[in-house]
Amino acid sequence: MNGLHLTADLYDCQQPSLLIDEAALQQLCLSQVELVGLKAVSACWHQFPASAAGPGGITGVVLLAESHLALHTWPERGGVTLDVYVCNFGADNSDKAQALLAALLAAFAPRWQQLGHLQRGELD
């Protein structure tokens, strides 16, 4: 159960189209997962309908052989919440998790962010 769980709350993102374009967001996530050397095994995405507050946000999960990437967009607030969790069973995937988070931060370009870092499970 040893793994690294990274969280990010992103505010005032400078790429608002990513907050409402499901296809672009899915492509970004899947391509970055592959670029950092993680393995996507499945994905599920949901676009919420527009409301009086504006366009609907997106919830997405990329299931990884190593665990998961999950994110939720809040276009009416210009925000994103996301988490990257990788298990380190058999190999330390921590650098890959950090690279994935860094790539997503660069893509969303938030004006400010709140990051979390949790080492999970037993450390051997």
Side-chain angles (χ1 to χ4, degrees):
M1 293 184 356
N2 177 2
L4 178 62
H5 196 159
L6 303 172
T7 62
D9 298 338
L10 312 181
Y11 302 91
D12 198 12
C13 293
Q14 300 305 294
Q15 296 297 327
S17 64
L18 280 177
L19 306 183
I20 59 173
D21 185 337
E22 182 181 340
L25 187 57
Q26 183 174 0
Q27 176 59 36
L28 168 69
C29 291
L30 292 174
S31 66
Q32 292 305 315
V33 161
E34 184 177 349
L35 281 173
V36 302
L38 295 170
K39 182 179 179 187
V41 295
S42 189
C44 183
W45 300 89
H46 178 76
Q47 175 92 49
F48 291 90
S51 70
I58 302 165
T59 290
V61 177
V62 179
L63 299 177
L64 305 173
E66 302 82 5
S67 199
H68 70 267
L69 161 65
L71 59 89
H72 313 278
T73 70
W74 307 87
E76 68 278 12
R77 297 183 178 189
V80 177
T81 56
L82 62 90
D83 69 276
V84 177
Y85 177 47
V86 293
C87 67
N88 289 328
F89 184 77
D92 188 345
N93 292 299
S94 298
D95 288 344
K96 293 174 183 178
Q98 291 176 358
L100 178 57
L101 179 61
L104 294 173
L105 293 175
F108 287 112
R111 288 197 195 260
W112 67 282
Q113 62 203 23
Q114 184 175 10
L115 304 178
H117 176 274
L118 176 64
Q119 191 67 44
R120 300 187 70 175
E122 298 286 328
L123 295 177
D124 296 331

